[in-house]
Structures are given as structure tokens and as C-alpha cells.
Amino acid sequence: MLLRQRTAEEPDLSELRDDSEVHPLGSIPLARVRDDLAVAERARRLLDELLLVCEREVQDAYSAQVPNLEGKVAIVTGAGRGIGREHALALAEAGANIVVNDLGAALSGEGHDDTPAQQVVQEIEAQDGEAVANGENVADFAGAERLVAQAIERFGRLDILVNNAGILRDRMIVNMTEAEWDSVIAVHLKGHFAPTRHAAAYWRERAKAGEEVRGRVINTSSPSGVFGNVGQSNYGAAKAGIAGFTLIVAQELQRYGVTVNCLAPNARTRMTEDTFDMGAPAEGFDPLDPSNMSPLVVALSADEAQGITGQVFHVWGGAINALQGWSPGELFASDEKWNADALLAELTERFPGGVAPTGMVAGMQAAGGQSLRAQ
Ligand SMILES: NC(=O)c1ccc[n+]([C@@H]2O[C@H](COP(=O)([O-])OP(=O)(O)OC[C@H]3O[C@@H](n4cnc5c(N)ncnc54)[C@H](O)[C@@H]3O)[C@@H](O)[C@H]2O)c1
């Protein structure tokens, strides 16, 4: 801008017609003045071009704030709605091709509808991304194998697996039915195992063939599983199992270049809207918008995150906490086998007021979040 203003004040070269004239300011021949001005004009044009290049570089630097996942292929399970949909959109925005898996089940896990997955595919395509729908049940071992195969057949590879699909069948333990227990354990725990198992076999094959694998598994636990929520012994047990599964599979797959991490999310979706009173604020940042869960998934998927594995992250709005689960606590050490009476005396002495879980809300608050109930 400044450069343009300066040139606007320069004399018009076309006025300098006669080489014999002298410049009114002194005895410099006009021909030389004209040459110098021509050189200055060329320099100005060059500087303008340089300025344009710099502007483009600055723009690129800002637009490159999303890690570049161009050329990568991701499967997101349960991506037809809620948190999974946001993960799929965010990964696509970062450049990945997406397999949008969703059974299209009711919250309790019943029924099948291909529409939610197809709609998310359309949303990604409308943003110039590439995606394909998949309606497999993640708890079906053969279905999970077909899901992984579809990613490889359609897009030629698989880099990222986000295990997110889930259902709820809450009940106090005294009344819980066998079906309520089995279905929730199946969708969450087996629904994490089955796709991971087939993706892991694929990555091991690639690594053994000499490829540099940068695989990603991103699992979904819950505050219910890591802190313990009343009325969710089936769901919480599955979600605690997913945290444990993350720790083990992270260690098993490290040698093949695959990282395995886990989210414990909090968001307003159909899963939580009936249970919790947590409307969106009239204006400003909405901590429970499900899209708040996805930057961590995109970040963990980046090549630069290759060293981060086996972590369980609690996410509440902008507060992301790398949880420390089951770290060593009070030690009752004896050089020989404990006598039960002596041990009881030691227990009651060390825990004079007794000891019990603090519950989910206290855990969430300690991790930087809040209760989802009305404050
Ligand atoms: N919303 C929260 O605050 C919260 C908190 C903790 C954990 N989570 C977990 O986050 C994940 C996503 O939950 P959400 O809140 O977005 O719920 P949601 O009900 O909106 O989405 C879950 C999706 O999973 C799909 N699904 C269910 N069973 C499936 C199966 N067997 N195979 C394939 N797809 C299946 C459903 O059709 C649905 O679209 C779940 O694992 C949930 O347990 C959510």
C-alpha cells in the first residue's frame, strides 16, 4: 500500500520527452533521471510481487492451523450423529478421506437405518471432501472386518480408526437385565475390539512389508467409566474396559508404528440430553457443543503426534485433561504373608473414616470440567 502511494507521487515519465532538457531541481540530465525512474519502477513492481508472495505465505500459515491429513484414510464408527459426526467432519476438513460407519440404531441399540451415515457423507462431499457410508454393526466381528476392508478397497489404505459408536441401557444393578448388560458390553467393548483387531492386522502386515506405518486408534471411554456413575454399571464397566484396552493395545501396537489413545468426552447429544439439564448458552462459547471433542482427534491423528500413545483424555469444553488412572496409592507392605487380623487393623488405622469413591461429578470437576446437571 505504502509503495503504491509513493509511486503515485512520482513524476509522469511520459513528460520527459527531450533528452537535452535538465531537471528543474538541478543539473542532472533528464535522460538519466528517466533511466533512474525506470529502474525505480521495475524495483517497485518487484517489491509489489514480493509483497503478494508474503501475503500468500501469511494466509497459508493461518489456514494451515488445522493439521494436514491430506492422503490419509479414516474410519469413524457411530459417525451418523452426535460426537462421531463431528469427528468425521473435522477429519475430512483436515483432508482425510472418511468411512462414515453408523448402524443407525436407536439410543438403546435397536433398529437399523442407513440415513444418518449417508447424510454425513453428503455433508462431507458438499465441503469437497471424500467419504463413503458403511452400515455395519461394530460389535459384529465379520462386519468389522468388512468395514476395514471397505476403507482399503475404496481409498487404498487405512490410517486412522476412531472407535466411537455407542448405546445406553441404564439401570440400577438390582434391576438390570441380562440383555441390558450384554448389549451394552457388546456394542462398546466388543465394538472397540473388533474394528481394532482387523485394523491392527492390516497395519502389522504393512509394517512387516517394510512400510513406515503411522496408524492411529482413537477410542471412546466416558467419565462414567473412569470416575464411576451410578446407574451405569454396564456402560461404565464397558467404558472402564475401553480405557484398559487402550493401555494394553497401545503397548502391543507401538512396534508397528500405531498409537492408541482414548477420549472421555462430554457433549450435548441425544445420549445426554434426556438425562442432563444442560442447554446451550444464549451466546458465547458452548462447552457442551459436540464439536469441541474433535480437535483432539485431529491433533492425535497428525504425524507429529507419533510419540503420544496409551493416554486417556477427559474433554469438557476447552479443558482437556490427560488422566492418570490407577496410579499407585496407599501401600500395605509386609515381608511375609499378611495375617487377616493384622491387615484389618492396619486398614482401619490407615483409613480411619473409611474410604469410598468420590463419584463421577467430583472426578469431572477435578479434571477441569463440571457436572452436566443444572448448576
Ligand atoms: N455425549 C456425551 O456426553 C458422552 C459422554 C461420554 C461418552 N460418550 C460416548 O461417545 C460416543 C458417542 O456418543 P454420542 O453422545 O455422540 O451418542 P449418539 O447416540 O448421538 O451417537 C452414537 C452413534 O453410534 C451409532 N451406533 C450405535 N450402535 C452402533 C453399532 N453397533 N454399530 C455402529 N454404530 C452404532 C448410533 O446409531 C449413533 O449414531 C459413545 O461411545 C458414547 O458412549 C458420550
Side-chain angles (χ1 to χ4, degrees):
M1 197 55 150
L2 270 176
L3 286 167
R4 290 206 182 90
Q5 278 167 4
R6 214 177 293 151
T7 47
E9 289 157 12
E10 285 166 4
D12 182 355
L13 290 181
S14 62
E15 287 171 6
L16 305 175
R17 285 198 193 95
D18 185 352
D19 283 3
S20 63
E21 281 180 38
V22 291
H23 193 275
L25 292 178
S27 58
I28 308 164
L30 279 180
R32 176 144 169 233
V33 172
R34 186 175 55 188
D35 287 351
D36 287 353
L37 285 174
V39 169
E41 172 62 13
R42 273 204 299 279
R44 183 192 68 77
R45 283 201 196 116
L46 275 172
L47 276 171
D48 270 358
E49 276 166 29
L50 199 66
L51 211 63
L52 270 177
V53 171
C54 290
E55 272 171 18
R56 269 190 226 118
E57 291 276 321
V58 170
Q59 267 170 9
D60 286 353
Y62 278 104
S63 60
Q65 278 177 345
V66 175
N68 188 355
L69 303 181
E70 253 356 289
K72 292 190 188 285
V73 176
I75 293 173
V76 183
T77 73
R81 37 170 102 76
I83 296 170
R85 171 178 167 273
E86 298 295 343
H87 292 337
L89 294 175
L91 288 165
E93 196 197 334
N97 296 333
I98 315 291
V99 179
V100 179
N101 160 267
D102 204 298
L103 185 61
L107 185 56
S108 59
E110 282 137 356
H112 184 158
D113 177 8
D114 288 333
T115 323
Q118 285 165 353
Q119 278 171 348
V120 175
V121 168
Q122 283 165 14
E123 280 184 79
I124 292 171
E125 286 174 345
Q127 302 297 320
D128 292 332
E130 277 200 57
V132 62
N134 173 286
E136 298 287 355
N137 174 358
V138 288
D140 174 349
F141 192 68
E145 188 171 23
R146 289 191 292 271
L147 168 63
V148 169
Q150 186 183 359
I152 297 158
E153 275 158 26
R154 173 66 192 261
F155 296 119
R157 56 187 293 127
L158 175 65
D159 302 279
I160 302 156
L161 168 65
V162 183
N163 289 311
N164 163 84
I167 63 167
L168 270 191
R169 293 202 187 177
D170 292 357
R171 190 88 62 194
M172 291 301 230
I173 188 68
V174 292
N175 289 321
M176 186 168 289
T177 67
E178 187 179 1
E180 285 164 347
W181 176 269
D182 286 348
S183 58
V184 169
I185 297 292
V187 172
H188 290 278
L189 209 42
K190 191 170 175 191
H192 271 62
F193 157 69
T196 306
R197 153 71 178 77
H198 297 299
Y202 162 76
W203 283 319
R204 185 184 62 169
E205 203 180 289
R206 306 307 323 150
K208 289 207 159 167
E211 232 177 71
E212 191 190 355
V213 174
R214 290 180 182 280
R216 298 287 182 267
V217 178
I218 300 170
N219 295 327
T220 310
S221 181
S222 165
S224 176
V226 294
F227 301 129
N229 195 26
V230 170
Q232 295 191 316
S233 59
N234 52 357
Y235 178 81
K239 291 303 200 186
I242 288 166
F245 177 77
T246 301
L247 297 188
I248 296 165
V249 182
Q251 294 171 78
E252 290 188 12
L253 297 187
Q254 206 162 16
R255 73 196 74 168
Y256 304 123
V258 180
T259 71
V260 185
N261 290 290
C262 186
L263 267 63
N266 293 278
R268 185 186 312 99
T269 67
R270 71 170 185 176
M271 190 173 273
T272 48
E273 65 194 357
D274 287 344
T275 321
F276 299 113
D277 173 14
M278 44 176 202
E283 56 185 31
F285 177 58
D286 175 7
L288 293 173
D289 186 318
S291 72
N292 296 333
M293 305 301 111
S294 304
L296 180 59
V297 168
V298 174
L300 290 171
S301 298
D303 287 347
E304 292 84 345
Q306 188 66 22
I308 300 168
T309 194
Q311 302 305 303
V312 179
F313 296 94
H314 182 262
V315 190
W316 201 101
I320 297 176
N321 196 308
L323 299 174
Q324 302 272 314
W326 297 115
S327 54
E330 192 76 12
L331 175 67
F332 298 85
S334 167
D335 290 338
E336 52 194 35
K337 183 178 175 181
W338 274 100
N339 163 286
D341 267 350
L343 182 55
L344 179 60
E346 191 74 16
L347 281 166
T348 50
E349 192 186 318
R350 298 263 205 104
F351 296 128
V355 63
T358 49
M360 185 175 76
V361 172
M364 288 169 65
Q365 283 167 342
Q370 293 168 34
S371 167
L372 305 189
R373 296 190 173 91
Q375 299 296 300

